[in-house]
């Protein structure tokens, strides 16, 4: 099966773009909120404050 020159360029580019979108979405939706929770818990631990919303 022959793959054109254009397909040889577009297939890896589409794969890397898709992976980048998935990674950025996971980072935004999971890692950043989890980091906020960790920072809040550490701040409460260090200051000795009660967990007041």
């Amino acid at each position: 099966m022959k793959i054109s020159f254009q397909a040889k360029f577009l297939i890896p580019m589409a794969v890397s773009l898709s992976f980048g979108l998935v990674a950025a979405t996971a980072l935004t939706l999971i890692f950043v909120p989890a980091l906020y929770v960790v920072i809040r818990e550490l701040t409460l631990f260090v200051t000795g404050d009660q967990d007041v919303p």
Side-chain angles (χ1 to χ4, degrees), residues 21-46:
L21 285 172
V22 169
T25 301
L27 187 68
T28 303
L29 293 178
I30 296 169
F31 183 73
V32 172
L35 190 61
Y36 277 123
V37 170
V38 168
I39 290 172
R40 176 168 167 82
E41 292 293 324
L42 283 175
T43 304
L44 290 173
F45 178 74
V46 169

